[in-house]
Amino acid sequence: DIMMTQTPLSSPVTLGQPASISCKSSQSLVHSDGNTYLTWLQQRPGQPPRLLIYKISDRFSGVPDRFSGSGAGTDFTLRISRVEAEDVGVYYCMQATQFPITFGQGTRLEIK
Amino acid sequence: QVHLVESGGAVVQPGGSLRLSCAASGFTFSDYGMHWVRQVPGKGLECVSFIRFNGNGIYYADAVKGRFITSRDNSKNTLYLQMNSLRPEDTAMYYCAKQQYLLIPDYWGQGTLVTVSS
């Protein structure tokens, strides 16, 4: 199975300031079709996960443009340009290149 | 809009069985694969299984292989997870999620809680 490692595990951020989460995979996430199926999920308190970003940098329907993804191969980053109160929660990177899909440990975003 | 509703969660003794259901609406269920993903309360996410749109390909995580069976009834727009030989470590919130493309899950249900305890 592909192992996903996130840093940091906790991120206290001031409202209006940027935040960044790193994710590394234990092997390349490039699929045989040439795409890289690295996704980012958000889980607000008491809610199910929600898809934010897929294929490294494509924002899912309804996701604000303050969320962006980047990276390649085994190293990926989620950035929030200006954190808002509604962004509090846990963020997971997830690889969907091969089964089983695997997740990072999660990064808890909290407001300072 | 897409709506997924899980049901069937309960408290069950070790060694027991349980069947979860996931009722889907708001999309053409028979066109999409479906995931089961679980989450121990307060912990991370873990893949359980994936079933292709027509049920002809079903994949299981090693932790549940041989004990859990995933199926679907496209005429009822419903996904199932038959859980046998349950263990305390199977205690978790179980989510169903719709496939977007290949293995990407886009929409998730609210989950149903399974507790395995004597």
Side-chain angles (χ1 to χ4, degrees):
Chain A
D1 297 1
I2 298 176
M3 184 175 298
M4 306 297 289
T5 304
Q6 288 180 233
T7 54
L9 298 185
S10 178
S11 180
V13 182
T14 302
L15 286 174
Q17 293 301 301
S20 179
I21 301 170
S22 174
C23 175
K24 294 183 190 294
S25 58
S26 60
Q27 63 191 73
S28 173
L29 298 186
V30 178
H31 190 272
S32 56
D33 68 5
N35 290 306
T36 300
Y37 294 104
L38 185 281
T39 72
W40 290 95
L41 306 171
Q42 176 196 59
Q43 188 171 31
R44 291 171 171 151
Q47 294 296 311
R50 167 197 178 199
L51 179 63
L52 291 179
I53 303 277
Y54 61 99
K55 286 199 297 181
I56 302 178
S57 58
D58 290 346
R59 269 189 303 277
F60 190 54
S61 174
V63 174
D65 60 8
R66 64 178 182 275
F67 290 94
S68 64
S70 63
T74 62
D75 286 86
F76 307 94
T77 302
L78 175 70
R79 290 187 176 88
I80 309 174
S81 59
R82 296 172 306 279
V83 170
E84 298 188 5
E86 66 177 18
D87 299 335
V88 165
V90 180
Y91 291 79
Y92 295 94
C93 63
M94 188 206 88
Q95 68 80 20
T97 293
Q98 71 178 50
F99 189 86
I101 58 175
T102 48
F103 303 84
Q105 317 96 300
T107 296
R108 186 171 300 278
L109 185 76
E110 54 195 27
I111 305 300
K112 278 184 188 174
Chain B
Q1 73 274 26
V2 173
H3 202 44
L4 300 168
V5 179
E6 302 92 337
S7 61
V11 178
V12 61
Q13 291 191 336
S17 296
L18 206 57
R19 189 174 87 153
L20 306 184
S21 299
C22 168
S25 60
F27 66 102
T28 304
F29 182 70
S30 57
D31 283 349
Y32 293 92
M34 296 291 294
H35 291 272
W36 284 106
V37 175
R38 66 185 181 184
Q39 184 174 36
V40 174
K43 301 295 184 183
L45 297 160
E46 181 185 23
C47 169
V48 173
S49 68
F50 175 75
I51 183 169
R52 292 192 186 276
F53 69 100
N54 58 6
N56 283 353
I58 309 174
Y59 308 87
Y60 298 97
D62 287 346
V64 306
K65 204 174 291 183
R67 300 188 298 124
F68 290 11
I69 301 171
T70 295
S71 62
R72 63 190 297 159
D73 186 337
N74 286 346
S75 68
K76 295 183 178 178
N77 291 346
T78 303
L79 172 72
Y80 302 101
L81 182 66
Q82 177 66 43
M83 309 166 70
N84 301 321
S85 303
L86 281 161
R87 305 167 179 168
E89 56 264 36
D90 296 318
T91 294
M93 183 74 78
Y94 284 74
Y95 296 103
C96 64
K98 169 188 164 293
Q99 172 200 38
Q100 180 204 40
Y101 176 68
L102 291 183
L103 290 174
I104 302 171
D106 55 3
Y107 293 96
W108 298 62
Q110 291 292 319
T112 188
L113 184 61
V114 173
T115 302
V116 184
S117 173
S118 54

Coordinates of all heavy atoms in Angstrom, one line a residue, chain A residues 3-84:
Chain A
M3 N 2.0 4.7 1.3 CA 1.9 5.5 2.5 C 1.9 7.0 2.3 O 2.7 7.4 1.5 CB 3.0 5.1 3.5 CG 3.0 5.7 4.8 SD 4.3 5.2 6.0 CE 3.9 3.4 6.1
M4 N 1.0 7.7 2.9 CA 0.9 9.1 2.8 C 1.3 9.8 4.1 O 0.8 9.4 5.2 CB -0.5 9.5 2.4 CG -1.0 8.8 1.2 SD -0.1 9.1 -0.3 CE -0.6 10.8 -0.6
T5 N 2.2 10.7 4.1 CA 2.7 11.4 5.3 C 2.5 12.9 5.2 O 3.0 13.5 4.3 CB 4.2 11.1 5.5 OG1 4.4 9.7 5.5 CG2 4.7 11.7 6.8
Q6 N 1.7 13.4 6.2 CA 1.5 14.9 6.2 C 2.2 15.6 7.2 O 2.5 15.1 8.3 CB 0.0 15.1 6.5 CG -1.0 14.7 5.4 CD -2.4 15.0 5.7 OE1 -3.3 14.1 5.6 NE2 -2.8 16.2 6.1
T7 N 2.6 16.8 6.9 CA 3.2 17.7 7.9 C 2.7 19.1 7.7 O 2.4 19.5 6.5 CB 4.7 17.8 7.9 OG1 5.1 18.1 6.5 CG2 5.3 16.5 8.3
P8 N 2.4 19.9 8.8 CA 2.4 19.5 10.2 C 1.2 18.7 10.5 O 0.3 18.6 9.7 CB 2.5 20.8 10.9 CG 1.7 21.7 10.0 CD 2.0 21.3 8.6
L9 N 1.1 18.2 11.7 CA -0.1 17.5 12.1 C -1.1 18.5 12.8 O -2.3 18.2 12.9 CB 0.2 16.4 13.1 CG 1.1 15.3 12.5 CD1 1.3 14.2 13.6 CD2 0.5 14.7 11.2
S10 N -0.6 19.7 13.2 CA -1.4 20.7 13.7 C -0.9 22.0 13.2 O 0.3 22.2 13.1 CB -1.4 20.7 15.2 OG -2.2 21.7 15.8
S11 N -1.9 22.9 12.9 CA -1.5 24.2 12.3 C -2.3 25.3 12.8 O -3.5 25.5 12.4 CB -1.6 24.1 10.8 OG -1.2 25.4 10.2
P12 N -1.8 26.1 13.9 CA -2.6 27.2 14.4 C -2.3 28.4 13.4 O -1.2 28.7 13.1 CB -2.0 27.5 15.7 CG -0.8 26.5 15.9 CD -0.6 25.8 14.6
V13 N -3.4 29.0 12.9 CA -3.3 30.1 12.0 C -4.1 31.3 12.4 O -5.2 31.1 12.9 CB -3.7 29.6 10.6 CG1 -3.5 30.7 9.5 CG2 -2.9 28.4 10.2
T14 N -3.7 32.5 12.1 CA -4.4 33.7 12.4 C -5.4 33.9 11.2 O -5.0 33.7 10.0 CB -3.5 34.9 12.5 OG1 -2.5 34.7 13.6 CG2 -4.2 36.2 12.8
L15 N -6.6 34.3 11.5 CA -7.6 34.6 10.5 C -7.0 35.6 9.5 O -6.4 36.6 9.9 CB -8.9 35.2 11.1 CG -9.8 34.2 11.9 CD1 -10.9 34.9 12.5 CD2 -10.3 33.1 10.9
G16 N -7.2 35.3 8.2 CA -6.8 36.2 7.2 C -5.3 35.9 6.7 O -4.9 36.5 5.7
Q17 N -4.7 35.1 7.4 CA -3.3 34.7 7.1 C -3.3 33.4 6.2 O -4.2 32.6 6.3 CB -2.4 34.5 8.3 CG -2.2 35.8 9.1 CD -1.5 36.8 8.2 OE1 -0.4 36.6 7.7 NE2 -2.1 38.0 8.0
P18 N -2.2 33.1 5.5 CA -2.1 31.9 4.7 C -1.8 30.7 5.6 O -1.3 30.8 6.7 CB -1.0 32.2 3.7 CG -0.1 33.2 4.4 CD -1.1 34.0 5.3
A19 N -2.1 29.5 5.0 CA -1.8 28.3 5.7 C -1.3 27.3 4.6 O -1.7 27.4 3.4 CB -2.9 27.7 6.4
S20 N -0.4 26.4 5.0 CA 0.1 25.4 4.0 C 0.3 24.1 4.7 O 0.7 24.0 5.8 CB 1.5 26.0 3.5 OG 2.1 25.1 2.6
I21 N -0.1 23.0 3.9 CA 0.1 21.7 4.4 C 0.8 20.8 3.4 O 0.5 20.9 2.2 CB -1.3 21.0 4.7 CG1 -2.1 21.8 5.7 CG2 -1.2 19.6 5.1 CD1 -3.6 21.4 5.8
S22 N 1.8 20.1 3.9 CA 2.6 19.3 3.0 C 2.2 17.8 3.0 O 1.8 17.3 4.1 CB 4.1 19.4 3.4 OG 4.9 18.5 2.6
C23 N 2.3 17.1 2.0 CA 2.0 15.7 1.9 C 3.0 15.0 1.0 O 3.3 15.4 -0.1 CB 0.6 15.5 1.3 SG 0.0 13.8 1.0
K24 N 3.6 13.9 1.5 CA 4.5 13.1 0.8 C 4.0 11.7 0.7 O 3.5 11.1 1.6 CB 5.9 13.1 1.4 CG 6.6 14.5 1.5 CD 7.9 14.4 2.1 CE 8.5 15.8 2.3 NZ 8.8 16.5 1.1
S25 N 4.2 11.1 -0.5 CA 3.8 9.7 -0.7 C 5.0 8.8 -0.8 O 6.1 9.3 -1.1 CB 3.0 9.6 -2.0 OG 3.7 10.0 -3.1
S26 N 4.8 7.5 -0.4 CA 6.0 6.6 -0.4 C 6.4 6.1 -1.7 O 7.5 5.5 -1.9 CB 5.6 5.4 0.5 OG 4.5 4.7 -0.1
Q27 N 5.6 6.4 -2.8 CA 6.0 6.1 -4.1 C 5.3 7.1 -5.1 O 4.3 7.8 -4.7 CB 5.7 4.7 -4.5 CG 4.3 4.3 -4.5 CD 4.0 2.8 -4.6 OE1 4.3 2.0 -3.6 NE2 3.6 2.4 -5.7
S28 N 5.7 7.1 -6.3 CA 5.1 8.1 -7.2 C 3.7 7.8 -7.4 O 3.2 6.6 -7.4 CB 5.8 7.9 -8.6 OG 5.2 8.7 -9.6
L29 N 2.9 8.9 -7.5 CA 1.5 8.8 -7.7 C 1.0 9.0 -9.2 O -0.1 9.1 -9.5 CB 0.7 9.8 -6.8 CG 0.9 9.7 -5.3 CD1 0.1 10.7 -4.6 CD2 0.7 8.3 -4.8
V30 N 2.0 8.9 -10.1 CA 1.7 9.0 -11.5 C 1.0 7.7 -11.9 O 1.6 6.6 -11.8 CB 2.9 9.3 -12.3 CG1 2.5 9.4 -13.8 CG2 3.6 10.6 -11.9
H31 N -0.2 7.8 -12.4 CA -1.0 6.7 -12.9 C -0.5 6.3 -14.3 O 0.2 7.1 -15.0 CB -2.4 7.1 -13.0 CG -3.4 6.0 -13.2 ND1 -3.8 5.6 -14.4 CD2 -4.1 5.2 -12.3 CE1 -4.6 4.6 -14.3 NE2 -4.9 4.3 -13.1
S32 N -0.8 5.1 -14.7 CA -0.4 4.6 -16.1 C -1.1 5.5 -17.2 O -0.6 5.5 -18.3 CB -0.8 3.2 -16.3 OG -2.2 3.0 -16.0
D33 N -2.1 6.2 -16.8 CA -2.7 7.1 -17.8 C -2.1 8.5 -17.9 O -2.5 9.4 -18.6 CB -4.2 7.3 -17.6 CG -4.6 8.0 -16.3 OD1 -3.7 8.5 -15.6 OD2 -5.8 8.1 -16.0
G34 N -1.0 8.7 -17.1 CA -0.3 9.9 -17.1 C -0.8 11.0 -16.1 O -0.1 11.9 -15.8
N35 N -1.9 10.8 -15.5 CA -2.4 11.7 -14.5 C -1.9 11.3 -13.1 O -1.5 10.1 -12.8 CB -4.0 11.7 -14.4 CG -4.6 12.3 -15.7 OD1 -4.2 13.4 -16.0 ND2 -5.4 11.6 -16.4
T36 N -2.0 12.2 -12.2 CA -1.6 12.0 -10.8 C -2.8 12.2 -9.9 O -3.3 13.4 -9.8 CB -0.4 13.0 -10.4 OG1 0.7 12.7 -11.2 CG2 0.0 12.8 -8.9
Y37 N -3.2 11.2 -9.3 CA -4.5 11.2 -8.5 C -4.3 11.5 -7.1 O -4.6 10.7 -6.2 CB -5.3 10.0 -8.8 CG -5.7 9.9 -10.2 CD1 -5.1 9.0 -11.1 CD2 -6.7 10.7 -10.7 CE1 -5.5 8.9 -12.4 CE2 -7.1 10.6 -12.1 CZ -6.5 9.7 -12.9 OH -6.8 9.7 -14.2
L38 N -3.8 12.7 -6.8 CA -3.6 13.2 -5.4 C -4.8 14.1 -5.1 O -5.0 15.1 -5.9 CB -2.3 13.9 -5.3 CG -1.8 14.4 -3.9 CD1 -2.5 15.7 -3.5 CD2 -2.0 13.3 -2.8
T39 N -5.5 13.8 -4.0 CA -6.6 14.6 -3.7 C -6.4 15.2 -2.3 O -5.6 14.7 -1.5 CB -7.9 13.8 -3.7 OG1 -7.9 12.9 -2.6 CG2 -8.1 13.0 -5.0
W40 N -7.2 16.2 -2.0 CA -7.3 16.8 -0.7 C -8.7 16.8 -0.2 O -9.6 17.2 -1.0 CB -6.7 18.2 -0.6 CG -5.2 18.3 -0.8 CD1 -4.6 18.5 -2.0 CD2 -4.2 18.2 0.2 NE1 -3.2 18.5 -1.8 CE2 -3.0 18.3 -0.5 CE3 -4.2 18.0 1.5 CZ2 -1.7 18.3 0.2 CZ3 -3.0 17.9 2.2 CH2 -1.8 18.1 1.6
L41 N -8.9 16.4 1.0 CA -10.2 16.4 1.7 C -10.2 17.3 2.9 O -9.2 17.4 3.6 CB -10.6 15.0 2.1 CG -10.5 13.9 1.1 CD1 -10.7 12.5 1.8 CD2 -11.6 14.1 0.0
Q42 N -11.4 17.9 3.1 CA -11.6 18.7 4.4 C -12.6 18.0 5.2 O -13.7 17.6 4.7 CB -12.1 20.1 4.0 CG -12.4 21.0 5.2 CD -13.3 22.2 4.7 OE1 -14.4 22.0 4.2 NE2 -12.7 23.4 4.9
Q43 N -12.4 17.9 6.5 CA -13.4 17.4 7.4 C -13.7 18.4 8.5 O -12.8 18.5 9.4 CB -13.0 16.0 8.0 CG -14.2 15.4 8.8 CD -13.9 13.9 9.1 OE1 -12.7 13.5 9.4 NE2 -14.9 13.1 9.2
R44 N -14.8 19.1 8.5 CA -15.1 20.0 9.5 C -15.6 19.2 10.7 O -16.1 18.1 10.6 CB -16.2 21.0 9.0 CG -15.7 22.0 8.0 CD -16.9 22.7 7.4 NE -16.5 23.8 6.5 CZ -17.2 24.3 5.5 NH1 -18.3 23.7 5.2 NH2 -16.7 25.3 4.8
P45 N -15.6 19.8 11.9 CA -16.0 19.1 13.1 C -17.4 18.5 13.0 O -18.3 19.2 12.6 CB -15.9 20.2 14.2 CG -14.9 21.1 13.7 CD -15.0 21.1 12.2
G46 N -17.6 17.2 13.3 CA -18.9 16.6 13.2 C -19.4 16.3 11.8 O -20.6 15.9 11.7
Q47 N -18.6 16.5 10.8 CA -19.1 16.4 9.4 C -18.3 15.2 8.7 O -17.2 14.9 9.1 CB -18.9 17.7 8.7 CG -19.8 18.8 9.2 CD -21.2 18.5 9.0 OE1 -21.7 18.1 7.9 NE2 -22.0 18.7 10.0
P48 N -18.9 14.7 7.6 CA -18.1 13.8 6.8 C -17.0 14.5 6.0 O -17.1 15.7 5.9 CB -19.1 13.2 5.9 CG -20.2 14.2 5.8 CD -20.2 14.9 7.1
P49 N -16.1 13.8 5.5 CA -15.1 14.4 4.6 C -15.8 15.0 3.4 O -16.8 14.6 2.9 CB -14.2 13.3 4.2 CG -14.4 12.2 5.2 CD -15.8 12.3 5.7
R50 N -15.1 16.1 2.9 CA -15.6 16.8 1.7 C -14.4 16.9 0.7 O -13.3 17.3 1.1 CB -16.0 18.2 2.1 CG -16.3 19.2 1.0 CD -16.3 20.6 1.6 NE -16.5 21.6 0.6 CZ -16.3 22.9 0.8 NH1 -15.8 23.3 2.0 NH2 -16.5 23.8 -0.2
L51 N -14.6 16.6 -0.6 CA -13.6 16.7 -1.6 C -13.3 18.2 -1.9 O -14.2 19.0 -2.2 CB -14.0 16.0 -2.8 CG -13.0 16.0 -4.0 CD1 -11.7 15.4 -3.7 CD2 -13.6 15.4 -5.3
L52 N -12.0 18.6 -1.7 CA -11.6 20.0 -2.1 C -10.9 20.0 -3.4 O -11.2 20.8 -4.3 CB -10.7 20.5 -1.0 CG -11.2 20.8 0.4 CD1 -10.0 21.3 1.2 CD2 -12.3 21.8 0.4
I53 N -9.9 19.2 -3.5 CA -8.9 19.3 -4.7 C -8.7 17.8 -5.2 O -8.6 16.9 -4.4 CB -7.6 19.8 -4.2 CG1 -7.7 21.2 -3.6 CG2 -6.6 19.8 -5.4 CD1 -7.8 22.4 -4.6
Y54 N -8.7 17.7 -6.5 CA -8.4 16.4 -7.1 C -7.3 16.6 -8.2 O -7.2 17.7 -8.7 CB -9.6 15.6 -7.6 CG -10.4 16.4 -8.7 CD1 -10.2 16.0 -10.0 CD2 -11.3 17.4 -8.4 CE1 -10.9 16.7 -11.0 CE2 -12.0 18.1 -9.3 CZ -11.8 17.7 -10.7 OH -12.4 18.4 -11.7
K55 N -6.7 15.5 -8.5 CA -5.6 15.5 -9.6 C -4.6 16.7 -9.3 O -4.4 17.5 -10.2 CB -6.2 15.6 -11.0 CG -6.8 14.3 -11.4 CD -6.9 14.2 -12.9 CE -7.9 15.2 -13.5 NZ -8.0 15.1 -15.0
I56 N -4.2 16.7 -8.1 CA -3.2 17.7 -7.5 C -3.7 19.1 -7.4 O -3.5 19.7 -6.3 CB -1.9 17.8 -8.4 CG1 -1.3 16.4 -8.6 CG2 -0.9 18.8 -7.9 CD1 0.0 16.4 -9.5
S57 N -4.4 19.6 -8.4 CA -4.7 21.1 -8.4 C -6.1 21.5 -8.9 O -6.4 22.7 -8.9 CB -3.6 21.8 -9.2 OG -3.6 21.3 -10.5
D58 N -6.9 20.5 -9.2 CA -8.2 20.8 -9.7 C -9.2 21.0 -8.5 O -9.4 20.1 -7.8 CB -8.8 19.7 -10.7 CG -8.0 19.7 -12.0 OD1 -7.3 20.7 -12.3 OD2 -8.2 18.7 -12.7
R59 N -9.8 22.2 -8.5 CA -10.8 22.5 -7.4 C -12.1 21.8 -7.7 O -12.6 21.9 -8.8 CB -11.0 24.0 -7.2 CG -10.0 24.6 -6.2 CD -10.5 26.0 -5.9 NE -10.5 26.8 -7.1 CZ -9.5 27.4 -7.6 NH1 -8.3 27.3 -7.1 NH2 -9.6 28.1 -8.7
F60 N -12.7 21.1 -6.7 CA -14.0 20.5 -6.9 C -15.1 21.6 -6.9 O -14.8 22.7 -6.5 CB -14.2 19.5 -5.8 CG -15.5 18.6 -6.0 CD1 -15.6 17.9 -7.1 CD2 -16.4 18.5 -5.0 CE1 -16.7 17.1 -7.4 CE2 -17.6 17.8 -5.2 CZ -17.7 17.0 -6.4
S61 N -16.2 21.2 -7.4 CA -17.4 22.1 -7.5 C -17.7 22.8 -6.2 O -17.8 22.1 -5.1 CB -18.6 21.3 -8.0 OG -19.8 22.1 -7.9
G62 N -17.8 24.1 -6.2 CA -18.2 24.9 -5.0 C -17.0 25.2 -4.1 O -17.2 25.9 -3.1
V63 N -15.8 24.8 -4.4 CA -14.7 25.0 -3.5 C -14.1 26.4 -3.7 O -13.8 26.8 -4.9 CB -13.6 24.0 -3.7 CG1 -12.3 24.3 -2.8 CG2 -14.1 22.6 -3.3
P64 N -14.0 27.3 -2.7 CA -13.5 28.6 -2.9 C -12.1 28.7 -3.5 O -11.3 27.8 -3.3 CB -13.5 29.2 -1.5 CG -14.4 28.4 -0.7 CD -14.3 27.0 -1.3
D65 N -11.8 29.7 -4.3 CA -10.5 29.8 -4.9 C -9.3 30.1 -4.0 O -8.2 30.2 -4.5 CB -10.5 30.7 -6.2 CG -10.9 32.1 -5.8 OD1 -11.0 32.5 -4.6 OD2 -11.1 32.9 -6.7
R66 N -9.6 30.3 -2.7 CA -8.5 30.5 -1.8 C -7.8 29.2 -1.5 O -6.7 29.2 -0.9 CB -9.0 31.2 -0.5 CG -9.9 30.3 0.3 CD -10.3 31.0 1.7 NE -11.2 30.3 2.5 CZ -12.5 30.3 2.4 NH1 -13.1 31.0 1.4 NH2 -13.3 29.5 3.2
F67 N -8.4 28.1 -1.9 CA -7.8 26.8 -1.8 C -7.1 26.5 -3.1 O -7.6 26.6 -4.2 CB -8.8 25.7 -1.5 CG -9.4 25.8 -0.2 CD1 -10.6 26.4 0.0 CD2 -8.8 25.1 0.9 CE1 -11.2 26.5 1.3 CE2 -9.4 25.2 2.2 CZ -10.6 25.9 2.4
S68 N -5.8 26.0 -3.0 CA -5.1 25.6 -4.2 C -4.1 24.5 -3.8 O -3.7 24.3 -2.7 CB -4.3 26.8 -4.7 OG -3.3 27.2 -3.8
G69 N -3.9 23.7 -4.9 CA -3.0 22.5 -4.7 C -1.9 22.6 -5.7 O -2.0 23.1 -6.8
S70 N -0.7 22.0 -5.3 CA 0.4 22.0 -6.2 C 1.2 20.7 -5.9 O 1.0 20.0 -4.9 CB 1.3 23.2 -6.1 OG 1.8 23.3 -4.8
G71 N 2.3 20.5 -6.7 CA 3.2 19.4 -6.5 C 3.3 18.5 -7.7 O 2.7 18.7 -8.7
A72 N 4.1 17.4 -7.5 CA 4.3 16.4 -8.6 C 5.0 15.2 -8.0 O 5.7 15.3 -6.9 CB 5.1 17.0 -9.7
G73 N 4.8 14.1 -8.6 CA 5.5 12.9 -8.2 C 5.2 12.3 -6.8 O 4.2 11.6 -6.7
T74 N 5.9 12.7 -5.8 CA 5.7 12.3 -4.5 C 5.5 13.4 -3.5 O 5.3 13.1 -2.3 CB 6.8 11.4 -4.0 OG1 8.0 12.2 -4.0 CG2 7.0 10.2 -4.9
D75 N 5.6 14.6 -3.9 CA 5.5 15.8 -3.0 C 4.4 16.8 -3.4 O 4.4 17.3 -4.5 CB 6.9 16.5 -2.9 CG 7.9 15.8 -2.2 OD1 8.6 14.9 -2.8 OD2 8.0 16.0 -1.0
F76 N 3.5 17.1 -2.4 CA 2.4 17.8 -2.7 C 2.1 18.8 -1.6 O 2.5 18.6 -0.5 CB 1.2 16.9 -2.9 CG 1.4 15.8 -3.9 CD1 1.9 14.6 -3.5 CD2 1.3 16.1 -5.3 CE1 2.2 13.6 -4.4 CE2 1.6 15.1 -6.2 CZ 2.0 13.8 -5.8
T77 N 1.4 19.9 -2.0 CA 1.1 21.0 -1.0 C -0.3 21.5 -1.2 O -0.8 21.7 -2.4 CB 2.1 22.1 -1.1 OG1 3.4 21.7 -1.0 CG2 1.8 23.2 -0.1
L78 N -1.0 21.7 -0.1 CA -2.3 22.4 -0.1 C -2.1 23.8 0.5 O -1.5 23.9 1.6 CB -3.4 21.6 0.7 CG -4.7 22.4 0.9 CD1 -5.5 22.4 -0.4 CD2 -5.6 21.7 2.0
R79 N -2.5 24.8 -0.2 CA -2.4 26.2 0.4 C -3.8 26.8 0.5 O -4.6 26.6 -0.4 CB -1.5 27.0 -0.5 CG -0.1 26.6 -0.5 CD 0.8 27.6 -1.3 NE 2.2 27.2 -1.1 CZ 2.9 26.4 -1.9 NH1 2.2 25.8 -2.9 NH2 4.1 26.1 -1.7
I80 N -4.0 27.5 1.6 CA -5.1 28.4 1.8 C -4.6 29.8 1.8 O -3.8 30.1 2.7 CB -5.9 28.0 3.1 CG1 -6.1 26.5 3.2 CG2 -7.2 28.8 3.2 CD1 -6.8 26.1 4.5
S81 N -5.0 30.6 0.9 CA -4.4 32.0 0.8 C -4.8 32.9 1.9 O -3.9 33.6 2.4 CB -4.9 32.6 -0.6 OG -6.3 32.7 -0.6
R82 N -6.0 32.8 2.4 CA -6.4 33.6 3.6 C -7.4 32.8 4.3 O -8.5 32.6 3.9 CB -7.1 34.9 3.1 CG -6.2 35.9 2.3 CD -7.0 37.1 1.7 NE -8.1 36.6 0.9 CZ -8.0 36.2 -0.3 NH1 -6.8 36.2 -0.9 NH2 -9.0 35.8 -1.0
V83 N -7.0 32.3 5.5 CA -7.8 31.4 6.3 C -9.0 32.2 6.8 O -9.0 33.3 7.4 CB -7.0 30.8 7.4 CG1 -7.9 30.1 8.4 CG2 -5.9 29.9 6.9
E84 N -10.2 31.5 6.7 CA -11.4 32.0 7.3 C -11.9 31.1 8.4 O -11.4 29.9 8.5 CB -12.5 32.1 6.2 CG -12.1 33.1 5.1 CD -13.3 33.3 4.1 OE1 -14.4 32.8 4.3 OE2 -13.0 34.0 3.1

